[in-house]
């Protein structure tokens, strides 16, 4: 409390005391007590003071008498809290056997029994004893049933029993009574058990609660929508599913990517192209560019022209250059594909670019260069060093030099300093 509040409070107390004393002083009251021939006379104020003092003395005596009997209880409470703290620290440090022992001891005191048993179950599971973990959760369910249910679902999911975890949480999910952690476990278990429609139901409550943070929610939302769209079994169901999704979710790059892949799979290449192009106009996404280049041979000439126009504003995007190289190779434009792929490798080497360049050299009847490209792709995939390509046709191919071109917002190249 701020000092000025204390000052105002003291002034109010002084004023009330002054008016009260003035009121009592005018008529302090009179009390006469007669007991076995003895008369005791006093004012009413004196009697009240005596009663208050007597009450305080009696309360102090009772507390003094009860103190030895409460000493054991206080010691038990103090030890339980210390063991709970030590057990949690041991759990975080990875000393799971020691943590489980301390937490079970802490659980003997009622006020910390629930949290201690939950942490003990987690310790047992991390120690590799799933059976004891589930038994401990049975005890914890009597104290904290909702938290124990969520933790049981998490342990089941970690053990590869995601369907059981979904079933365990389904009743509360249907009534919307799951906690934020419960919704997360429900979504994760539903994704692992190939039930994305169930996972989709968790997004609304999680977004409303705001407990997992915007970044974590965005990652989970992208995963759920991606799996949900990929679950469509034909073109009609894909169109219906896509139209029912909220506008914000249809704009997610992961959702657009899944829709485009499924649409191309079901022979709806134009719809896939339109969605990707619309999404790229809103926000540039290398993921969607890569998907755009891998849609297949349908309308590839149109897609190639469109992608080449994007180079003006994204000249240093290695994914775009790789996609262009692949589309040129698919169109049998080998001489045009190679510069795109070489530039992509110069900017940011990737397995896809090395493989595509190998396919190009193979089509140009240069098997040795193709083999080296494939070896580089394999080496890069395993995190190993790649080999530089030799000179060919009086022109060096140097993929070790980063050839980055800077352009302004209008696509005009900037001069190097």
């Amino acid at each position: 409390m701020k000092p000025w509040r204390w000052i105002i409070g003291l002034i109010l107390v002084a004023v009330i005391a002054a008016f009260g004393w003035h009121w009592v002083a005018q008529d302090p009251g009179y009390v006469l007590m007669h007991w076995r021939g003895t008369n005791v006379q006093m004012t009413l104020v004196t009697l009240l003071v005596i009663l208050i003092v007597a009450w305080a003395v009696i309360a102090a005596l009772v507390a003094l008498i009860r103190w030895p009997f409460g000493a054991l209880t206080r010691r038990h409470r103090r030890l339980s809290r210390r063991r709970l703290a030590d057990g949690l620290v041991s759990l975080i440090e990875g000393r799971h056997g020691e943590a489980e022992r301390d937490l079970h001891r802490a659980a003997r005191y009622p006020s910390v029994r629930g949290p201690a048993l939950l942490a003990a179950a987690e310790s047992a599971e991390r120690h590799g004893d799933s059976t004891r973990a589930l038994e401990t959760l049975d005890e914890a369910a009597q104290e904290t049933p909702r938290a124990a249910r969520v933790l049981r679902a998490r342990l089941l999911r970690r053990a590869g029993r995601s369907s059981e975890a979904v079933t365990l949480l389904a009743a509360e999910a249907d009534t919307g009574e799951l906690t934020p952690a419960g919704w997360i476990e429900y979504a994760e278990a539903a994704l692992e058990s190939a039930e994305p429609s169930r996972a989709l139901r968790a997004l609304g409550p999680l977004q409303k609660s705001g407990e997992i943070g915007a970044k974590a929610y965005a990652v989970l939302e992208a995963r759920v929508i991606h799996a949900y769209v990929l679950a469509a079994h034909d073109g009609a169901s894909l169109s219906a599913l896509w139209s029912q999704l909220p506008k914000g979710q249809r704009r997610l790059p992961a959702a657009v990517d899944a829709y485009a892949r499924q649409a191309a799979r079901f022979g709806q290449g134009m719809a896939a192209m339109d969605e990707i192009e619309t999404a790229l106009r809103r926000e540039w996404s290398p993921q969607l560019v890569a998907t755009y280049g891998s849609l297949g041979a349908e309308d590839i000439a149109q897609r190639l022209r469109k992608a080449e126009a994007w180079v003006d504003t994204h000249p240093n995007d290695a994914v775009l250059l790789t996609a262009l190289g692949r589309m040129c190779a698919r169109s049998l434009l080998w001489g045009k594909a190679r510069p795109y792929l070489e530039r992509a490798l110069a900017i940011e080497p990737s397995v896809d670019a090395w493989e595509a360049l190998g396919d190009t050299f193979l089509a140009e009847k240069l098997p040795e260069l193709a083999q080296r490209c494939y070896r580089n792709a394999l080496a890069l995939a395993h995190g190993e060093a790649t080999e530089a390509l030799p000179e060919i046709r009086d022109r060096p191919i140097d993929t070790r030099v980063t050839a980055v071109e800077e352009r302004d917002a209008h696509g005009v190249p900037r001069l190097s300093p």
Side-chain angles (χ1 to χ4, degrees):
M1 184 179 291
K2 296 181 178 180
W4 65 269
R5 293 183 181 178
W6 282 106
I7 294 173
I8 293 176
L10 291 175
I11 292 174
L12 289 176
V13 170
V15 171
I16 294 173
F19 279 102
W21 175 256
H22 180 72
W23 179 70
V24 171
Q26 291 178 349
D27 185 8
Y30 176 76
V31 177
L32 172 64
M33 291 184 292
H34 178 79
W35 187 57
R36 293 187 178 185
T38 302
N39 295 326
V40 178
Q41 304 178 40
M42 65 185 70
T43 63
L44 178 61
V45 175
T46 303
L47 178 62
L48 292 176
V49 171
I50 291 174
L51 290 176
I52 292 173
V53 171
W55 174 81
V57 171
I58 293 172
L61 290 175
V62 172
L64 185 63
I65 294 171
R66 292 179 59 185
W67 182 85
F69 299 97
L72 291 177
T73 302
R74 289 192 295 274
R75 180 176 181 276
H76 189 190
R77 183 189 304 118
R78 185 172 61 255
L79 287 176
S80 297
R81 291 175 177 173
R82 189 175 67 195
R83 285 169 177 164
L84 176 62
D86 292 342
L88 292 176
V89 171
S90 298
L91 175 62
I92 298 301
E93 292 179 347
R95 295 181 279 113
H96 304 306
E98 182 179 340
E100 187 180 1
R101 183 173 59 254
D102 288 339
L103 291 167
H104 273 294
R105 290 177 179 174
R108 297 172 185 171
Y109 193 73
S111 65
V112 297
R113 178 173 174 78
L117 288 174
L118 290 173
E122 178 73 19
S123 299
E125 195 273 338
R126 294 188 184 184
H127 198 244
D129 195 339
S130 299
T131 302
R132 190 164 68 245
L134 295 177
E135 292 174 353
T136 305
L137 281 177
D138 291 336
E139 299 180 50
Q142 301 175 8
E143 306 291 332
T144 54
R146 299 178 71 183
R149 192 175 300 110
V150 171
L151 184 55
R152 182 184 295 272
R154 184 178 303 162
L155 298 187
L156 289 172
R157 183 173 62 83
R158 289 176 181 173
R161 300 157 64 183
S162 300
S163 298
E164 295 180 40
V166 172
T167 303
L168 178 65
L169 300 175
E172 284 186 289
D174 292 339
T175 57
E177 297 177 353
L178 279 177
T179 61
W183 282 117
I184 293 174
E185 291 302 323
Y186 186 70
E188 294 288 354
L191 287 176
E192 292 180 9
S193 57
E195 297 182 82
S197 58
R198 287 179 177 267
L200 188 67
R201 296 170 52 191
L203 295 181
L206 284 174
Q207 185 181 33
K208 185 177 180 180
S209 69
E211 293 294 336
I212 65 172
K215 185 176 180 180
Y217 175 79
V219 173
L220 178 62
E221 182 184 34
R223 291 174 54 213
V224 170
I225 300 300
H226 185 269
Y228 182 64
V229 174
L230 288 179
H233 56 273
D234 56 33
S237 63
L238 177 65
S239 300
L241 176 153
W242 187 250
S243 62
Q244 292 171 1
L245 285 176
K247 188 176 181 180
Q249 292 179 347
R250 291 202 306 268
R251 290 188 171 187
L252 295 173
V256 177
D257 178 77
Y259 173 80
R261 292 181 183 277
Q262 286 293 82
R265 174 188 170 194
F266 298 138
Q268 300 175 355
M270 290 300 297
M273 290 170 53
D274 290 342
E275 284 294 338
I276 292 179
E277 291 173 4
T278 302
L280 290 176
R281 282 195 294 270
R282 288 193 303 266
E283 181 181 1
W284 185 255
S285 170
Q287 176 188 10
L288 294 181
V289 171
T291 302
Y292 191 78
S294 62
L295 287 179
E298 183 180 0
D299 296 310
I300 191 169
Q302 179 181 349
R303 283 189 288 122
L304 182 57
R305 289 194 299 271
K306 188 72 174 180
E308 286 178 331
W310 294 335
V311 177
D312 291 338
T313 52
H314 302 278
N316 303 318
D317 194 310
V319 176
L320 172 59
L321 296 170
T322 302
L324 281 167
R326 284 193 173 279
M327 285 191 286
C328 288
R330 197 174 293 120
S331 302
L332 306 182
L333 302 174
W334 311 112
K336 193 175 182 180
R338 187 150 52 84
Y340 283 132
L341 296 171
E342 291 173 3
R343 180 168 173 78
L345 289 169
I347 295 173
E348 185 178 353
S350 66
V351 175
D352 289 341
W354 277 118
E355 289 181 349
L357 186 59
D359 295 340
T360 301
F361 283 135
L362 193 62
E364 292 182 325
K365 309 300 181 182
L366 298 170
E368 293 183 0
L369 291 177
Q371 290 178 2
R372 183 168 296 189
C373 289
Y374 294 143
R375 285 198 302 269
N376 283 343
L378 187 61
L380 189 61
H382 289 82
E384 301 174 359
T386 58
E387 304 177 32
L389 297 179
E391 295 185 3
I392 178 174
R393 297 179 184 177
D394 300 326
R395 183 172 59 86
I397 304 175
D398 188 3
T399 59
R400 296 169 299 176
V401 179
T402 302
V404 177
E405 178 183 339
E406 295 186 3
R407 300 194 181 198
D408 60 18
H410 304 287
V412 179
R414 291 193 178 100
L415 295 176
S416 300

